[in-house]
Structure formats: C-alpha cells, structure tokens
Amino acid sequence: LRLKLNYEKKITYHIKDNCKAFYSYLRNNRRLKSSVPNLERENGTNTTNSYETAEELANAFSSVFTKEPAGPLQNLLSEPNGDNDQSVIGDLTVSMSEVASELSNINV
C-alpha cells in the first residue's frame, strides 16, 4: 500500500515531464476486473457460463416489460372512459421573470 502511494505521488509529481506514465497508470487501473457471477435459474440449477447468465438476465428483464402490439401507438390524448377527445395542447410561452419567480420559491 505504501509503495503504491509513493508510486502515485511520483507519477503526479512528474506528470509534466512524463505524462505517458500517468495515462498508462490510469488506463491500467480503470479496467473493470469483475464479472457477473453465475445465477440461479427458476428450476434451481445454476448458469455455467456467461452466455447462459446473459440469457437468464435477458429473460428476467423482458418479463417485467409490457409487450406492445405491432402497429401504431395508442392515442395518448384519449380519455380514460373511451371518449376520443382530440384536444391538442397549444403553444406554451414562458417568460424569464416567471422562471425566476418559480426558481426563487424552491426550498433547497
């Protein structure tokens, strides 16, 4: 640990003279060195390789999303009771003073 700290100090001290060493150190230490562990399937068995693990994750993620039918999207302006009101939101105009007023009312 002490050697690592001394090496890091040395690299940062000489960064102007030897930036290649600095960027090499960064590149070597930013690599992801972990992997996704094997997962347990619904039937109780474990995945044995990364392909099976990826398939299990894909199945789990796809099970929580709604599958939309092919074709045009539903009309987002329709009323919940089924009335198809084709109301359209008009142009919106916002002034700087209105924004400033709203921002000043924020409690942070």
Side-chain angles (χ1 to χ4, degrees), residues 44-55:
T45 62
N46 288 337
T47 58
T48 57
N49 58 43
S50 58
Y51 179 80
E52 290 178 356
T53 302
E55 286 293 317

Side-chain angles (χ1 to χ4, degrees), residues 18-89:
N18 189 5
C19 64
K20 196 172 189 178
F22 174 74
Y23 287 110
S24 174
Y25 178 78
L26 286 180
R27 193 173 39 256
N28 288 334
N29 285 307
R30 87 179 170 140
R31 289 193 181 127
L32 187 63
K33 297 177 183 171
S34 63
S35 62
V36 177
N38 291 337
L39 301 175
E40 185 177 336
R41 295 185 185 106
E42 287 183 3
N43 65 8
T45 62
N46 288 337
T47 58
T48 57
N49 58 43
S50 58
Y51 179 80
E52 290 178 356
T53 302
E55 286 293 317
E56 281 301 309
L57 288 172
N59 291 337
F61 291 135
S62 66
S63 70
V64 297
F65 291 104
T66 304
K67 291 183 177 31
E68 297 289 335
L73 295 176
Q74 84 179 52
N75 185 354
L76 298 178
L77 297 175
S78 61
E79 297 294 321
N81 64 5
D83 293 340
N84 195 2
D85 182 12
Q86 292 295 322
S87 303
V88 176
I89 299 174

